[in-house]
Amino acid sequence: MALLAYVKKVYAAWIDYPLQDGTLLQAQYRILRFLGMGSYGLTYLCQDIRTGAELVIKQAKPSKGKLGRDLLQKEIEIMQQLQHPSIPRCLAFFKENKQMFMLMDYVKGQTVEDLIFERGAKFSEKEAISLIRKLMPVVSYLHTQGFVHRDIRIPNVILQGDCIYLIDFGLASRIGEPIEYVEGEALQRRRATEVTSDQYAIGHFLLFMLYSTFETTDVLEESAKGWEEELDLSPATKRMIRKLLQIDPAYTSTQAFIDEVNTILEQL
């Protein structure tokens, strides 16, 4: 069994090897560089050789077979229904060499993950909550259209000057849509097809930013503490995070959360 698992892992690594820089797709889109690999897809920065425009191409992960193609098809169908300046547009989709691809707008800027871990950015309580406030109109729009993102994380939010973008809709679903079973209570909350799943993800997103200023001198002493003890936050912010993480009853609506964020920002 161990040998079989190893062979499968090696095969997946081989079949999922990214396309080379310079590869031309549809005789029009030249791959400039590989951007990254997720659970179900690979993304590339490319250039439209006819217009010179830089775009993003997402490829269904070959090792995932039909599941990967079905998920990309679902992502395409969802993105085609969304029209928001903070959500990249799905421009086209195509098949080539038995592989499935989606063409999207390229959003320049830095992910919150890059800002924290590569640029060393530190977010104060007010700065972190202000960024969440800026993100919420995008999330609210998504919910009013009947969808949940289900993957709001620091790599999936891009900042470009004063603009903010939400990317990677690979796990997005219709609200209330039946989904596959996932193990673990935390993952169930994050993957639920309800607005509370995005609230839960935003709670963790907020904690990532708040921990950017956290410093400890004794790892053993601090390791047993939770965020409520480690982070110096206002009582209102702590109550908000507890609701987002469903430690306390969750917000009844996205607007109820936005209203509380506005109140907290007025007080900070």
Side-chain angles (χ1 to χ4, degrees):
M1 291 297 291
L3 178 60
L4 179 60
Y6 174 75
V7 170
K8 287 183 176 179
K9 186 175 181 180
V10 170
Y11 175 73
W14 172 75
I15 198 173
D16 290 335
Y17 194 80
L19 298 173
Q20 290 187 340
D21 295 354
T23 299
L24 193 63
L25 297 172
Q26 296 290 285
Q28 183 174 356
Y29 307 111
R30 188 180 306 282
I31 292 177
L32 300 179
R33 71 174 187 270
F34 176 59
L35 294 176
M37 182 186 302
S39 299
Y40 298 98
L42 299 89
T43 56
Y44 309 86
L45 176 64
C46 67
Q47 185 176 49
D48 185 332
I49 61 173
R50 299 180 186 177
T51 67
E54 290 186 336
L55 303 166
V56 167
I57 284 181
K58 185 171 185 178
Q59 174 190 8
K61 204 170 186 179
S63 66
K64 296 299 181 180
K66 184 176 183 299
L67 174 61
R69 294 190 296 273
D70 287 349
L71 286 173
L72 184 58
Q73 181 64 47
K74 180 180 178 182
E75 183 176 1
I76 291 167
E77 291 171 359
I78 290 175
M79 292 191 70
Q80 287 178 330
Q81 297 178 62
L82 302 175
Q83 295 183 7
H84 192 282
S86 291
I87 297 175
R89 294 173 301 162
C90 171
L91 303 172
F93 61 93
F94 56 88
K95 292 183 180 179
E96 186 164 318
N97 296 325
K98 299 181 180 180
Q99 299 298 318
M100 188 170 182
F101 301 87
M102 172 173 62
L103 186 69
M104 297 178 290
D105 286 326
Y106 172 49
V107 178
K108 295 182 180 179
Q110 296 234 300
T111 67
V112 177
E113 180 179 56
D114 289 341
L115 287 172
I116 293 174
F117 292 107
E118 293 185 10
R119 296 296 184 94
K122 297 185 183 298
F123 293 88
S124 68
E125 181 178 354
K126 187 171 184 177
E127 289 169 337
I129 297 175
S130 295
L131 192 150
I132 293 296
R133 179 62 185 87
K134 184 178 288 190
L135 176 65
M136 286 314 298
V138 194
V139 179
S140 180
Y141 166 79
L142 189 61
H143 293 171
T144 59
Q145 298 304 303
F147 299 103
V148 282
H149 189 275
R150 300 204 304 156
D151 201 23
I152 300 175
R153 298 181 297 118
I154 56 175
N156 292 336
V157 174
I158 293 178
L159 298 179
Q160 183 191 95
D162 292 331
C163 299
I164 193 167
Y165 297 89
L166 181 61
I167 64 170
D168 196 346
F169 286 71
L171 293 177
S173 295
R174 278 208 166 274
I175 293 174
E177 176 184 335
I179 59 168
E180 73 288 349
Y181 171 78
V182 292
E183 282 192 35
E185 184 179 353
L187 194 55
Q188 287 178 28
R189 290 179 177 177
R190 186 183 289 273
R191 296 291 181 252
T193 55
E194 304 295 338
V195 296
T196 52
S197 68
D198 283 347
Q199 292 178 16
Y200 184 80
I202 289 168
H204 284 280
F205 187 105
L206 182 54
L207 284 176
F208 261 106
M209 289 190 289
L210 293 170
Y211 265 102
S212 66
T213 60
F214 176 71
E215 295 181 1
T216 180
T217 55
D218 190 333
V219 176
L220 293 178
E221 180 182 343
E222 298 292 340
S223 62
K225 295 182 179 180
W227 63 269
E228 291 184 88
E229 294 179 86
E230 290 181 333
L231 299 175
D232 183 17
L233 303 173
S234 67
T237 296
K238 286 185 178 181
R239 287 194 299 270
M240 178 181 70
I241 297 174
R242 287 179 63 88
K243 290 180 184 179
L244 290 171
L245 300 182
Q246 300 172 38
I247 299 169
D248 294 338
Y251 290 96
T252 55
S253 67
T254 304
Q255 188 58 50
F257 169 54
I258 293 173
D259 291 343
E260 186 151 348
V261 168
N262 289 335
T263 299
I264 291 173
L265 283 175
E266 291 174 359
Q267 298 170 349
L268 289 176

